[in-house]
Amino acid sequence: MFTTRPTLQGTFGMVSSTHWLASQSAMAVLEDGGNAYDAAVAGAFVLHVVEPHLNGPAGEVPILLAPVGGEVRVLCGQGMAPAGATVAHYRGLGLDLVPGTGPLAAAVPGAFDAWLLLLRDYGTKSLADVLKYAIGYAEHGHAPVENVGATVESVRELFETEWTSSAEVYLPDGEAPRPGRLLRNPALAATWKRLLAETEGAGDREARIEAAREVWRSGFIAEALVRQARQPTMDTSGERHSGTLGAADLAGWSATYETPATYDWNGWTVCKAGPWSQGPAFLQQLALLPPELPAYGSADYVHLLIEGCKLAMADREAWYGDAAEVPLADLLSESYNAGRRALVGAKASYELRPGSPGGRTPRLPEHARVVADGDSGCNPAGSDGFNPMGVGEPTVARLPGEPPVAADGSTRGDTCHLDVVDRWGNMIAATPSGGWLQSNPVVPELGFPLGTRLQMTWLEEGLPNSLTPGRRPRTTLTPSIALRDGTPVMAFGTPGGDQQDQWQTHFFLAVALRGPVRGGLDLQGAIDAPNWHNDSFPSSFYPRGRHPGSVTVESRMDPEVVEELRRRGHDVTVAHGWSEGRLCAVARDPETGVLSAAANPRGMQGYAVGR
């Protein structure tokens, strides 16, 4: 079967990520004797440097890890809402939605602490060993991908007039980053060098890592983050606001380990983060599948998956969040899904239809049924850019799957992904995001901005995802680990905001339903297969609209399938042939020990490496 690249196979180690420099840096750690967790931390900090428009140290990351001989665990790097982040406070400012940019949207930063906790508990290398790659690229420069410069150009006026600290990093001498010319971030390199210097005498490897976590929480880094959060900053509301992040919020938060949410399907067990993420929507889509599936890739098959996704995402909006009682067991039960399955008819549904798990009455946010203005958030055929935020707002040329950015910094949101498996069988999947260069002004002393994850909460009391101090905003970030007959065999994920658990479901089913390649899982074939998504549910990103009935398909999809979808009432947009999905994946055959990896060719940026 023809694919854009081979599925890599080997026995030493495999890495797949959304940027080749992160993949190769992680591989260098494996070559230096590190394990999958050392490699992932090194790759993650490189992603902060080389994909600054998609993630940063003050963003967030959910991590799934499968250590050899141990249970799959979730490491939650999603920070909570600060103590001052109440619905009453935001409503008192005249807001109906949390702004998409600026310090009011900043949760407690979670990514840095999660990566260091992983390194402490599962790694073998020192912090200096894993940070040296990021420090090198920040200090000496890297050749940026096109979309770093395109994103900066889209917010040039904002940077030059309001967020001047960002202009110092990303518009040096007034020029945006461009390929072939080195982009440096000396402030970020200096931050990590100072961190290492301040913690050098703390003791052994673990003690130095713990000391670095304390510097982040209460040392010079924390002080700079809080100063920046309190600065009045222009945001998507068109006004300047100060944030709510305080010293006590930073000092009192830590990344945590959790048990994953799981679902068994046809001999596979899929592991996801809990319903503080959208991860269980993947599991619900599996639970909604009938015992016998239509032919892979047929119109019946695509229609079934689109309609099942709509039902799962409606439940996401009604039931998911960091509330104490999310009825996940009921949502995944066969009795519940048998009733939901019967709602999938021959025609496309334009309704938002949450269910009643365990007899509970669903409640949707008032804003959830708002239909977005303008297009459906889909690429016209052959277009290089698109605009999900309404007619007349500026867009930016983009890599497929990456967010368009308006002049005020508002964005549909996107991220990075990283998977690693080592020669011992340790496996990890992580989806770093937030702290984008277009989310908040760069903190001058640190070289990176705060995040904006609170934009995913609702300014309405009593919902599972209401803005609530001490609660995590429901995130779209959703890495995956899949087990076969109880043994971890595959780690995978993708950027893409609300599309993540659509593209991942399609990928997983392609792996599960199609035949093997070279005796192993056809990772690259499943990534390359024509993909699609729908926007019939509320967007997780400001301004939170929905596009009932909309479906975006790649032009490589069979034209007869496209026409049949339209006949069934789907509002289909045919996009560029390589525009849907940015998946990464690694795998291990438990019988032979053979490792494999693949990466998304869309955008010509993601790469898998290994041997």
Side-chain angles (χ1 to χ4, degrees):
M1 181 181 295
F2 174 80
T3 57
T4 58
R5 308 165 180 180
T7 295
L8 306 183
Q9 290 187 329
T11 56
F12 181 81
M14 292 282 164
V15 182
S16 180
S17 88
T18 48
H19 197 290
W20 62 85
L21 292 180
S23 294
Q24 192 54 50
S25 297
M27 192 66 202
V29 173
L30 295 180
E31 296 282 6
D32 194 40
N35 64 19
Y37 309 115
D38 299 311
V41 176
F45 278 91
V46 170
L47 285 173
H48 298 157
V49 179
V50 300
E51 292 194 314
H53 59 311
L54 303 177
N55 81 137
E60 44 275 325
V61 59
I63 300 169
L64 267 70
L65 57 146
V68 173
E71 298 294 321
V72 176
R73 303 182 80 183
V74 175
L75 177 51
C76 174
Q78 175 57 66
M80 63 187 185
T86 65
V87 170
H89 175 64
Y90 286 60
R91 289 285 190 179
L93 296 172
L95 298 171
D96 296 321
L97 294 171
V98 177
T101 61
L104 271 181
V108 176
F112 177 90
D113 193 68
W115 288 118
L116 264 64
L117 192 62
L118 177 72
L119 183 66
R120 185 197 73 182
D121 294 344
Y122 289 93
T124 64
K125 294 289 190 180
S126 70
L127 183 57
D129 286 336
V130 296
L131 276 181
K132 65 184 180 183
Y133 306 94
I135 291 173
Y137 287 124
E139 183 173 23
H140 303 298
H142 70 282
V145 295
E146 289 84 349
N147 238 29
V148 177
T151 302
V152 172
E153 284 291 358
S154 72
V155 289
R156 173 186 285 273
E157 183 178 356
L158 178 69
F159 279 16
E160 291 178 337
T161 60
E162 296 281 348
W163 298 8
T164 54
S165 60
S166 298
E168 291 178 10
V169 175
Y170 293 107
L171 287 169
D173 303 319
E175 293 190 28
R178 65 173 186 264
R181 179 176 179 179
L182 294 179
L183 171 62
R184 297 178 174 86
N185 190 339
L188 178 58
T191 296
W192 299 147
K193 285 185 171 183
R194 180 177 173 183
L195 178 70
L196 293 174
E198 289 194 6
T199 58
E200 185 176 6
D204 62 10
R205 188 188 79 92
E206 290 80 5
R208 292 194 297 275
I209 294 171
E210 275 301 293
R213 295 177 73 205
E214 285 304 313
V215 171
W216 179 276
R217 290 194 189 108
S218 58
F220 79 93
I221 294 177
E223 293 168 359
L225 290 173
V226 171
R227 275 197 302 273
Q228 186 64 48
R230 299 300 182 175
Q231 289 289 324
T233 301
M234 181 65 70
D235 60 36
T236 51
S237 72
E239 299 180 1
R240 296 179 182 85
H241 291 113
S242 300
T244 60
L245 182 68
D249 300 309
L250 280 165
W253 186 85
S254 171
T256 53
Y257 292 104
E258 300 177 1
T259 301
T262 63
Y263 187 77
D264 296 331
W265 183 83
N266 283 12
W268 293 84
T269 300
V270 178
C271 301
K272 302 291 286 186
W276 53 267
S277 77
Q278 74 171 355
F282 184 144
L283 309 183
Q284 284 195 251
Q285 289 175 81
L286 293 180
L288 283 161
L289 295 175
E292 297 294 328
L293 292 178
Y296 176 83
S298 66
D300 287 340
Y301 178 85
V302 177
H303 173 77
L304 177 70
L305 294 186
I306 292 170
E307 294 304 298
C309 174
K310 291 175 185 177
L311 294 173
M313 291 305 221
D315 277 345
R316 181 194 77 165
E317 212 50 66
W319 300 110
Y320 291 17
D322 201 21
E325 299 296 334
V326 177
L328 191 56
D330 287 325
L331 289 167
L332 294 175
S333 69
E334 174 54 30
S335 59
Y336 176 75
N337 283 285
R340 297 287 277 167
R341 205 174 292 133
L343 296 176
V344 177
K347 293 289 188 179
S349 171
Y350 279 48
E351 299 177 45
L352 192 63
R353 299 181 290 177
S356 300
R360 300 168 181 84
T361 301
R363 178 185 160 199
L364 290 169
E366 291 181 6
H367 193 82
R369 298 189 188 277
V370 170
V371 176
D373 294 331
D375 67 30
S376 63
C378 313
N379 260 359
S383 172
D384 291 323
F386 81 123
N387 176 21
M389 293 169 288
V391 174
E393 294 182 338
T395 62
V396 59
R398 67 186 185 103
L399 295 177
E402 288 193 0
V405 181
D408 60 4
S410 61
T411 173
R412 185 192 188 104
D414 209 3
T415 179
C416 313
H417 190 79
L418 174 71
D419 301 312
V420 188
V421 60
D422 63 28
R423 62 188 184 273
W424 301 286
N426 297 300
M427 193 176 292
I428 183 170
T431 310
S433 186
W436 308 302
L437 68 85
Q438 68 274 20
S439 64
N440 259 297
V442 166
V443 183
E445 307 94 319
L446 303 179
F448 58 85
L450 288 163
T452 54
R453 195 59 55 173
L454 292 185
Q455 69 178 291
M456 298 186 171
T457 61
W458 295 110
L459 296 182
E460 185 178 341
E461 299 283 9
L463 297 165
N465 193 33
S466 297
L467 178 64
T468 308
R471 277 192 189 173
R472 294 167 288 190
R474 188 196 71 217
T475 179
T476 53
L477 310 175
T478 173
S480 305
I481 284 181
L483 292 70
R484 186 73 176 167
D485 299 322
T487 301
V489 297
M490 185 166 61
F492 59 100
T494 180
D498 292 309
Q499 294 102 309
Q500 289 182 31
D501 279 315
Q502 300 185 59
W503 293 337
Q504 288 186 69
T505 300
H506 308 159
F507 163 80
F508 171 76
L509 290 174
V511 169
L513 297 174
R514 292 161 28 132
V517 170
R518 295 178 182 166
L521 301 176
D522 185 13
L523 301 183
Q524 194 64 52
I527 288 173
D528 287 359
N531 216 323
W532 68 91
H533 82 272
N534 84 87
D535 294 295
S536 289
F537 47 87
S539 170
S540 295
F541 296 89
Y542 183 91
R544 312 294 308 265
R546 58 186 289 258
H547 301 276
S550 71
V551 177
T552 304
V553 304
E554 290 183 324
S555 62
R556 294 180 296 123
M557 184 176 282
D558 184 341
E560 292 185 4
V561 171
V562 173
E563 287 310 307
E564 176 60 19
L565 292 174
R566 286 176 171 150
R567 192 188 68 78
R568 296 184 186 203
H570 296 282
D571 180 11
V572 180
T573 295
V574 177
H576 186 276
W578 297 91
S579 57
E580 292 289 308
R582 289 179 63 207
L583 281 141
C584 301
V586 300
R588 180 180 184 272
D589 187 321
E591 294 184 3
T592 65
V594 172
L595 312 178
S596 55
N600 171 53
R602 299 163 178 88
M604 298 181 289
Q605 183 175 322
Y607 269 89
V609 296
R611 68 174 179 87

